[in-house]
Amino acid sequence: MNHDAFIVPPGAKVSLQKDYDPAYTANYHDRNDATLKLRSDIERLAKYQDILYAQNSYALLIIFQAMDAAGKDSTIKHVMSGINPQGCQVFSFKSPSHEELDHDYLWRSMKALPERGRIGIFNRSYYEEVLVVRVHPEILQKQQLPHLPKGNKIWQQRFTEINNFEKYLVDNGIVILKFFLNVSKAEQKKRFLARIDSPEKNWKFSINDVQERAFWSEYMNAYEEVFHHTSTTYAPWYIIPADRKWFMRMVVADIICSKLESLKLKYPTVSEEAQQHLLQAKFALEQEE
């Protein structure tokens, strides 16, 4: 699959409304075809994960950002359904705790970074600091900062800090994939109503979801600024159409598999001495009665 339709070119100014259709499905018009492709990629991902773990040189950090009800949880559940849980860890970042507010805003993310050989998933991330906090700047007052730059300088400062942070991670073997699941406002409304009307989904709904929906335009503007300033050659943003969950999951899985394939992962080779030990162990085992 060609990913050009989803990637944000570094430094590009994009319009979510004009440039990206949340209902886009490329050449896939049949859900069954996409489901078969997803199943195949789930198997591929399991194989790549096994080699990633064995090689123990790279780590993969996958970041999901989206508006509420876009499908972050279900995408993680479906795409990662075939991998070994021992090689994967998922962190969901909520409002900062008192302890976290006593540290810099990247601290809690640094603590959650994946080890070499593992896949780490951030369900929301440090990007909340230039999204939710930008839409609700009063949150800054709780962060106990020694001083606040005036105007938009705080956001420019954080964009620079995030880019530097991600460059540091990539330089040290942590490969970063950043996905924005692009759901339309109309589809979000439909999913909210489904959560309200279905007793088994009531637990997913919060009145805060509707309150945040009132800031839709502000969030779209904030996301566009994030893409413009933090989609880089080493950690680009992918904007994934999210109105059709079956297509969204397939695209995410395909991009992850393609990235792991590009790393040219290989199982470690053992030394001649180790091979001799293997032969000795094999001989000893075969001599057992």
Side-chain angles (χ1 to χ4, degrees), residues 13-288:
K13 291 187 176 182
V14 300
S15 168
L16 286 171
Q17 183 177 2
K18 297 178 181 179
D19 301 332
Y20 296 92
D21 179 7
Y24 177 71
T25 58
N27 296 322
Y28 285 84
H29 306 294
D30 189 315
R31 177 172 183 160
N32 292 330
D33 290 342
T35 300
L36 289 174
K37 175 71 166 61
L38 175 60
R39 289 176 183 171
S40 174
D41 283 341
I42 288 173
E43 293 179 3
R44 288 173 63 204
L45 180 55
K47 293 177 182 178
Y48 287 136
Q49 183 213 12
D50 192 58
I51 306 173
L52 178 77
Y53 186 85
Q55 190 184 61
N56 202 37
S57 295
Y58 291 102
L60 177 62
L61 174 62
I62 304 173
I63 294 173
F64 288 100
Q65 290 288 158
M67 297 295 285
D68 293 316
K72 297 186 302 299
D73 292 341
S74 67
T75 299
I76 295 169
K77 175 182 176 181
H78 284 80
V79 173
M80 300 296 165
S81 60
I83 66 176
N84 186 339
Q86 294 184 96
C88 181
Q89 51 209 49
V90 182
F91 291 90
S92 183
F93 292 97
K94 306 295 185 182
S95 298
S97 66
H98 289 297
E99 179 187 19
E100 289 166 346
L101 287 172
D102 276 336
H103 292 81
D104 64 274
Y105 69 91
L106 289 172
W107 179 75
R108 63 177 183 168
S109 297
M110 292 179 188
K111 286 175 54 183
L113 290 172
E115 304 166 50
R116 296 191 190 281
R118 288 173 169 79
I119 297 174
I121 300 172
F122 284 2
N123 187 339
R124 300 191 189 278
S125 68
Y126 44 85
Y127 279 100
E128 296 292 282
E129 295 294 331
V130 286
L131 292 167
V132 175
V133 179
R134 186 163 190 172
V135 174
H136 301 286
E138 64 275 11
I139 296 175
L140 285 170
Q141 302 304 321
K142 300 178 182 179
Q143 296 189 349
Q144 306 175 60
L145 300 172
H147 64 274
L148 277 176
K150 294 182 179 180
N152 289 326
K153 290 183 179 180
I154 180 66
W155 313 121
Q156 297 299 324
Q157 174 183 309
R158 289 190 171 184
F159 291 147
T160 299
E161 290 165 349
I162 287 171
N163 287 337
N164 290 340
F165 175 59
E166 291 181 344
K167 184 64 166 62
Y168 167 79
L169 297 183
V170 170
D171 286 347
N172 284 274
I174 299 180
V175 179
I176 303 172
L177 287 175
K178 302 185 295 193
F179 296 111
F180 171 65
L181 306 184
N182 184 27
V183 69
S184 66
K185 192 174 183 181
E187 180 64 20
Q188 187 197 57
K189 177 181 177 180
K190 178 181 175 182
R191 294 178 187 178
F192 278 169
L193 289 172
R195 289 181 178 182
I196 295 172
D197 293 337
S198 304
E200 68 275 12
K201 294 183 179 180
N202 286 172
W203 66 274
K204 283 187 169 184
F205 187 78
S206 167
I207 191 62
N208 185 61
D209 296 340
V210 174
Q211 293 171 346
E212 287 300 287
R213 180 177 164 83
F215 297 95
W216 185 276
S217 294
E218 289 86 345
Y219 273 109
M220 294 302 101
N221 291 335
Y223 269 111
E224 289 171 1
E225 281 287 291
V226 164
F227 302 145
H228 173 51
H229 291 285
T230 65
S231 191
T232 59
T233 55
Y234 48 87
W237 274 102
Y238 294 86
I239 299 179
I240 311 298
D243 278 10
R244 306 289 182 267
K245 288 186 177 182
W246 51 268
F247 182 74
M248 171 182 68
R249 295 164 185 162
M250 182 202 68
V251 175
V252 168
D254 187 78
I255 292 172
I256 295 172
C257 286
S258 296
K259 175 56 70 174
L260 289 173
E261 183 179 21
S262 73
L263 299 178
K264 308 296 183 184
L265 300 170
K266 294 181 180 179
Y267 285 108
T269 56
V270 297
S271 65
E272 290 187 11
E273 181 181 2
Q275 289 178 351
Q276 290 300 317
H277 290 161
L278 289 173
L279 291 174
Q280 292 171 13
K282 179 181 179 181
F283 178 79
L285 289 169
E286 289 175 341
Q287 298 305 305
E288 288 183 359

